[in-house]
Amino acid sequence: MKYTLNNIDTRGKENFDLSRCLRLDELKEELNASLPEYEDFVMKYGGSEIADMIRVYAPDDVLYRCEEFRERVEQYFLWDNDDSALSEEELQECFPLADTNNGDEFVFKTGEKSGIYCLPQDDYTIYSVGKDLQDIVDFAMFSGKVFNIDEYYSGNPPERLFISET
């Protein structure tokens, strides 16, 4: 089954606080890039959770978490193996965009190797995910590196993506 961001069930949670998205232009300037799906998503839903699985940060949260993320990477770099898509130095150029309730993180890297990467909680390999929010959803749900979708939903995966407030 393919889950798309174009067909999201809000489950009655349509009054999102978009005030935390006011710094979207500042974030785009910091990233020196555009993430159209992410930008559309946060302007429509704010910081929200997709399918009780992926927490997407509002732009203010991305900017707020960035320094803490980089300090944590500097102190506790765990992904130092030959299969990792990024080095510790490259990870310092990243911005946290989303995470899972299991502790997996999704970051956007600027500059060379620009794109989205996953830092799994239970794996010491950094994976290249893609270029935008739909790639995060696909990786989390279908790669087997983050979730086993059937186990996560007890054999009853949702019919389509849905949004919850974070």
Side-chain angles (χ1 to χ4, degrees), residues 38-123:
Y38 169 80
E39 294 165 18
D40 290 347
F41 180 89
V42 297
M43 289 310 297
K44 189 170 183 180
Y45 303 112
S48 298
E49 189 168 278
I50 300 173
D52 290 336
M53 178 184 294
I54 304 161
R55 289 182 291 242
V56 178
Y57 306 144
D60 284 9
D61 292 332
V62 172
L63 293 166
Y64 175 79
R65 292 170 186 255
C66 191
E67 185 176 338
E68 179 273 330
F69 168 77
R70 291 176 180 172
E71 288 174 3
R72 187 166 32 87
V73 165
E74 187 175 333
Q75 289 181 350
Y76 306 105
F77 184 73
L78 302 173
W79 304 274
D80 194 15
N81 69 50
D82 293 338
D83 294 331
S84 282
L86 298 175
S87 68
E88 182 175 0
E89 293 78 25
E90 291 168 327
L91 200 52
Q92 288 295 330
E93 299 170 355
C94 293
F95 294 81
L97 285 183
D99 66 10
T100 69
N101 54 13
N102 286 350
D104 312 286
E105 294 181 275
F106 293 93
V107 299
F108 179 79
K109 181 179 176 322
T110 61
E112 194 174 326
K113 292 189 178 179
S114 176
I116 296 174
Y117 295 84
C118 178
L119 288 66
Q121 173 69 21
D122 298 323
D123 188 343

Side-chain angles (χ1 to χ4, degrees), residues 134-152:
Q134 183 67 55
D135 298 319
I136 292 175
V137 171
D138 293 343
F139 187 87
M141 296 183 103
F142 301 114
S143 71
K145 307 279 187 220
V146 177
F147 291 100
N148 177 315
I149 195 167
D150 287 325
E151 287 178 16
Y152 187 77

